[in-house]
Amino acid sequence: MSVFTPVTRRSLEPFLARYHVGSLVNFHGISEGVENTNYFVDTSDGQFVLTLFERLNYDQLPYFLGLMDHLHQRGVPTPAPRRARDGALSQPLLGKPAALVDRIPGIGVADASARQCAAVGEALARLHTDGQGFDGHRPPDRSSDWWQATAEALRPQLETDECELLDDELAFQAGVDRSHLPSGVIHADLFRDNALFAGEQLSGLIDWYYACNDRFIYDLAVAVNDWCVDEHWAPRADHWTQLLAAYAAVRPFTDAERVVWSAELRASALRFWLSRLYDRCFPRGGDLTLIKDPTPQRRRLERWRAGEALPLP
Amino acid sequence: MSVFTPVTRRSLEPFLARYHVGSLVNFHGISEGVENTNYFVDTSDGQFVLTLFERLNYDQLPYFLGLMDHLHQRGVPTPAPRRARDGALSQPLLGKPAALVDRIPGIGVADASARQCAAVGEALARLHTDGQGFDGHRPPDRSSDWWQATAEALRPQLETDECELLDDELAFQAGVDRSHLPSGVIHADLFRDNALFAGEQLSGLIDWYYACNDRFIYDLAVAVNDWCVDEHWAPRADHWTQLLAAYAAVRPFTDAERVVWSAELRASALRFWLSRLYDRCFPRGGDLTLIKDPTPQRRRLERWRAGEALPLP
């Protein structure tokens, strides 16, 4: 996991009493996710996921929870956040903001099929189009400013070859023109862990806590970077084609998006390489802490730099 | 997790074809467990858990899988292992022995209720009594020999106070008379993570890969050490009483067991303190590796040494 904040029955029962969800039966930490503390919670009325926000303030939550509510109402597969008796979508628990959402059936995807890729491409495009009516706005927290600041903090701890790759990529990215790209609400973290399938059915996109307003094509690059590569991080043509075709059937690409596609793939690999390097160099405490290996993101970055990406359809 | 061995569709499909379980739909790594690689596997016929055994040889598997089969048939809540078309309970996958068991509904227990403790006490007693008819035999792999060898490997890496506590406890344990204790098949790792509840119902005991033939009272101490303490590792009287009473209603305690009870609680805290220290000092590689903090086990050991354990009923 990471369970950063251990929850007890004594703390959870009064929290649940603030919702219309029945009484506590059982709960258990979920050992996934590296940002927040998550628990499965079973009550007499149903099954829920409880999230304690470890790094977010209350004023950021209305964006995430309001967005999930907005998308759920429009049929984009997302968990529905529950409103407390006072009408709010979050409540404090152990001094942290916390939310309760319906638990979606299904499991993540270890090794995607082309068909699953198509389902994810379609859902992502629907998020981008149906998100247009959402009136919240949140700037990206993993933008180029964050890349620079993180690179600064990491440099003293990196190997020479890591520093060279990083500096060269940052210089390249600084020269990319992103001024005419369609943007709006994006998920920003649509890895295979964050799409649940119940059998063949995409039951929900989860873990919305990087969502922000940014370039659609970057969001797509994050997904392709994870869903459409093989175990050596080389492109899988059938997956790549099906994800992008299903996406484009809902929202066709612009010419400006075609121009930056390869640069956006590099940007997505760079972003996750940086955050995993950071977590390796500066691990956080916790009862159980999950550290993800940075190497696979570096390998992807190297492939996209070598021109191995497939084009947009 | 730990996913030590990444599985792909290409490797999993021919493996599944050796069973009567339909065709692969989806699968996903389970980020729990520190010994083996586990995946949820959905097929056209049902939901399963796949385990790749990272440190076990084929000749050890018949014990574990045969035991689960034996207990499942007798109504002890355990997952049923599937037999392949050739009749075997395991098959090779990526060069490792692997097994497929039915996926049990439910979640583990973060903070037990007294009622859940009673359900676990009863199930543990039924395991000890119904296990009597099982004809396999396996010596414990975390016995006093293992304590000594592990302490030897750890000493150069430990703080002075850790060394002193360890050596003092090992000397105490060496003097405990365990010659007249009832024994048989035990689970040996019945933590809250390893009992799934679907609502109020104990749906299954899982993770049988430390099971062995050893003292029943030690198995009970492992469970009480985890299920019946509060967040400061002090005994919770109601949980403690209900777990032990439910156990004793199925299998009453002997006088010899009453004498060693406190020493067995110390032995169980020692065993898990040692293994967590070892994993901290000598971490294994893996895509995602979970390191559990040794401190809570040390705190328990200190409490049991201070005479804070409650007696057997």
Side-chain angles (χ1 to χ4, degrees), chain A residues 1 8-10 25-28 31-32 40 103 107-113 116 193 197 199 231 288 292, chain B residues 8-10 25-28 31-32 40 103 107-113 116 193 197 199 231 288 290 292:
Chain A
M1 16 198 129
T8 59
R9 283 187 169 262
R10 206 165 46 204
V25 174
N26 188 24
F27 67 109
H28 189 239
S31 43
E32 301 202 9
F40 289 139
R103 179 172 172 190
I107 59 176
V109 177
D111 183 1
S113 67
Q116 288 164 342
D193 279 348
F197 279 80
E231 62 265 47
L288 293 163
K292 291 187 178 173
Chain B
T8 59
R9 284 189 169 259
R10 207 166 45 204
V25 174
N26 188 24
F27 67 109
H28 189 239
S31 43
E32 300 200 10
F40 289 139
R103 179 173 172 189
I107 59 176
V109 177
D111 183 1
S113 67
Q116 288 165 343
D193 278 348
F197 279 80
E231 61 265 47
L288 293 163
L290 192 67
K292 291 188 177 172

Side-chain angles (χ1 to χ4, degrees), chain B:
Chain B
M1 34 194 117
S2 311
V3 167
F4 300 105
T5 305
V7 171
T8 59
R9 284 189 169 259
R10 207 166 45 204
S11 54
L12 188 51
E13 283 172 342
F15 173 86
L16 293 175
R18 284 184 244 129
Y19 292 81
H20 298 278
V21 293
S23 58
L24 178 61
V25 174
N26 188 24
F27 67 109
H28 189 239
I30 307 176
S31 43
E32 300 200 10
V34 292
E35 286 294 323
N36 298 312
T37 294
N38 294 296
Y39 283 86
F40 289 139
V41 175
D42 290 356
T43 73
S44 52
D45 279 9
Q47 299 187 320
F48 305 91
V49 175
L50 169 75
T51 299
L52 279 90
F53 299 96
E54 298 289 344
R55 307 201 207 189
L56 298 176
N57 296 323
Y58 277 92
D59 56 0
Q60 299 188 273
L61 281 184
Y63 181 85
F64 301 118
L65 299 171
L67 174 61
M68 289 163 70
D69 196 34
H70 174 93
L71 294 171
H72 178 77
Q73 285 180 28
R74 278 151 191 81
V76 179
T78 46
R82 289 294 180 121
R83 281 188 194 279
R85 293 174 194 269
D86 68 4
L89 289 169
S90 70
Q91 295 286 319
L93 177 57
L94 297 166
K96 291 178 181 163
L100 200 64
V101 306
D102 285 340
R103 179 173 172 189
I104 286 180
I107 59 176
V109 177
D111 183 1
S113 67
R115 192 165 159 181
Q116 288 165 343
C117 288
V120 163
E122 185 195 338
L124 193 60
R126 290 189 52 210
L127 152 63
H128 292 168
T129 50
D130 286 336
Q132 298 290 17
F134 179 61
D135 59 6
H137 191 277
R138 182 174 179 267
D141 41 17
R142 295 291 180 265
S143 64
S144 55
D145 288 351
W146 176 86
W147 300 346
Q148 294 290 351
T150 305
E152 200 72 33
L154 286 171
R155 256 185 216 103
Q157 312 231 20
L158 297 183
E159 304 296 323
T160 309
D161 64 317
E162 290 174 324
C163 268
E164 284 171 4
L165 175 59
L166 180 55
D167 289 338
D168 192 72
E169 185 61 26
L170 288 172
F172 166 80
Q173 292 289 344
V176 177
D177 176 11
R178 297 184 159 103
S179 52
H180 299 288
L181 296 170
S183 68
V185 172
I186 71 168
H187 183 283
D189 194 29
L190 193 47
F191 280 53
R192 285 164 294 158
D193 278 348
N194 289 336
L196 302 187
F197 279 80
E200 297 281 7
Q201 182 77 31
L202 173 60
S203 50
L205 309 181
I206 61 169
D207 210 350
W208 286 88
Y209 306 110
Y210 283 107
C212 57
N213 292 66
D214 206 349
R215 314 173 307 277
F216 294 145
I217 197 69
Y218 168 77
D219 207 17
L220 192 64
V222 169
V224 165
N225 191 53
D226 190 62
W227 288 81
C228 304
V229 300
D230 67 15
E231 61 265 47
H232 308 291
W233 309 291
R236 294 181 72 165
D238 51 344
H239 292 54
W240 197 289
T241 310
Q242 292 221 28
L243 195 153
L244 293 181
Y247 183 98
V250 178
R251 190 189 74 83
F253 300 113
T254 68
D255 288 342
E257 287 180 315
R258 281 179 229 282
V259 172
V260 298
W261 173 235
S262 163
E264 294 288 23
L265 280 168
R266 290 169 63 165
S268 70
L270 171 66
R271 174 256 179 273
F272 290 99
W273 185 44
L274 279 170
S275 65
R276 289 174 185 188
L277 283 172
Y278 188 88
D279 289 343
R280 185 188 74 187
C281 294
F282 306 102
R284 287 190 292 165
D287 265 18
L288 293 163
T289 305
L290 192 67
I291 304 291
K292 291 188 177 172
D293 182 5
T295 312
Q297 294 297 335
R298 175 182 174 161
R299 297 290 171 244
R300 288 171 168 90
L301 177 58
E302 288 167 340
R303 285 196 181 269
W304 311 147
R305 285 166 57 93
E308 294 183 29
L310 306 181
L312 287 187

Side-chain angles (χ1 to χ4, degrees), chain A residues 143-184:
Chain A
S143 64
S144 55
D145 288 350
W146 176 87
W147 301 346
Q148 293 291 351
T150 305
E152 201 72 34
L154 285 171
R155 255 184 218 104
Q157 311 231 20
L158 297 183
E159 304 295 324
T160 309
D161 64 317
E162 290 174 324
C163 268
E164 285 171 4
L165 174 59
L166 180 53
D167 289 338
D168 192 72
E169 185 62 25
L170 288 171
F172 166 79
Q173 291 290 344
V176 177
D177 176 11
R178 297 184 159 104
S179 53
H180 298 289
L181 296 170
S183 68

Side-chain angles (χ1 to χ4, degrees), chain A residues 109-137:
Chain A
V109 177
D111 183 1
S113 67
R115 192 165 158 181
Q116 288 164 342
C117 288
V120 163
E122 186 195 338
L124 192 60
R126 291 191 51 211
L127 152 65
H128 292 167
T129 50
D130 286 336
Q132 298 289 18
F134 179 62
D135 59 5
H137 191 278

